[in-house]
Amino acid sequence: MAQKTNQQVFPLGPESKEPRSDEESGSQTSAEELKRKKRIKLAIYIAAFAVFQTIVILVFALIVMRVKTPKVRLGKDVTFHNVTTGNSTSPSFDINFTTQLRVKNANFGPYKYDSTVATFMYKGVTVGQVTIPKGKTGLRSTKKVVVTLNVNSKDLPSSANLASALESGLLMLNSHAKLSGKVELMFIMKKKKSVEMNCTMTINLSSKEIHSMICE
């Protein structure tokens, strides 16, 4: 008779956890990579904005806030009302004319200047003067100031050798003026600026026209 073998039955232990699948691991890696890329993008945007701000500030400081010296010149548009000259034995001149003084302002703010006097000379001797009233030239613009004056030879010494100039038909006059004022920027900054005019005009006495005009 066959014998029965006793078989011992062991209880099953707790189920062991299975390792995470490759899909879950890959998903977590992708999320971390995405966050890292976002942080890099944000850092790039911040750096680019900082650089842009620096450039804007530099441009503003170097161009807008930089104060340039205005310029004043005599215009070539001259109208002669009366031109009277003497002869070689009694040389003289008496001339009335209207001209323009042009005040050029290249700044990003107005230039306000005080009243001054423009002096016209023949060989260093004053032959005429005209008052330039106080005024204002707008930002990046040119103001034209129309003036009418008389120049004459009554105060010239005999040594001025005027006769030779009258014989040539060309009379050379020098003009000088100094404007003093302030440039205003952004309504908060004011800077004093003075500008001088030094021009040489040559008058054609026969045609009563400007032969040449040179301004420094």
Side-chain angles (χ1 to χ4, degrees), residues 180-197:
S180 297
K182 294 179 181 179
V183 176
E184 297 182 1
L185 294 176
M186 308 298 292
F187 303 102
I188 55 173
M189 185 176 118
K190 294 181 181 180
K191 189 165 184 179
K192 292 182 178 180
K193 279 292 180 181
S194 296
V195 55
E196 292 191 41
M197 175 190 77

Side-chain angles (χ1 to χ4, degrees), residues 38-203:
K38 284 184 178 180
R39 285 196 295 269
I40 292 174
K41 276 187 179 180
L42 182 61
I44 292 173
Y45 290 152
I46 292 173
F49 181 72
V51 171
F52 175 75
Q53 266 195 327
T54 303
I55 293 172
V56 169
I57 291 171
L58 285 174
V59 170
F60 188 77
L62 294 175
I63 298 178
V64 178
M65 297 301 288
R66 182 183 176 189
V67 178
K68 300 176 183 177
T69 302
K71 296 179 181 180
V72 57
R73 299 284 187 269
L74 271 180
K76 293 183 179 180
D77 298 329
V78 180
T79 302
F80 291 95
H81 307 295
N82 177 59
V83 177
T84 303
T85 58
N87 50 41
S88 58
T89 56
S90 180
S92 65
F93 65 83
D94 191 299
I95 303 171
N96 293 321
F97 63 93
T98 298
T99 185
Q100 289 181 351
L101 283 90
R102 300 182 179 184
V103 185
K104 184 179 180 180
N105 176 30
N107 293 290
F108 286 87
Y111 175 59
K112 295 181 180 179
Y113 54 88
D114 300 325
S115 175
T116 189
V117 174
T119 302
F120 289 76
M121 296 163 286
Y122 177 77
K123 292 189 176 180
V125 180
T126 299
V127 294
Q129 289 184 318
V130 64
T131 299
I132 303 173
K134 68 177 182 179
K136 181 178 78 171
T137 305
L139 61 92
R140 300 185 66 79
S141 64
T142 299
K143 181 180 178 65
K144 298 177 182 179
V145 182
V146 179
V147 293
T148 299
L149 70 149
N150 171 264
V151 292
N152 59 72
S153 58
K154 65 181 182 180
D155 293 328
L156 286 179
S158 56
S159 59
N161 196 19
L162 181 59
S164 60
L166 296 180
E167 286 176 5
S168 69
L170 298 175
L171 181 66
M172 183 182 295
L173 301 177
N174 299 105
S175 59
H176 176 267
K178 183 177 180 179
L179 292 181
S180 297
K182 294 179 181 179
V183 176
E184 297 182 1
L185 294 176
M186 308 298 292
F187 303 102
I188 55 173
M189 185 176 118
K190 294 181 181 180
K191 189 165 184 179
K192 292 182 178 180
K193 279 292 180 181
S194 296
V195 55
E196 292 191 41
M197 175 190 77
N198 289 291
C199 294
T200 300
M201 61 186 294
T202 302
I203 304 171

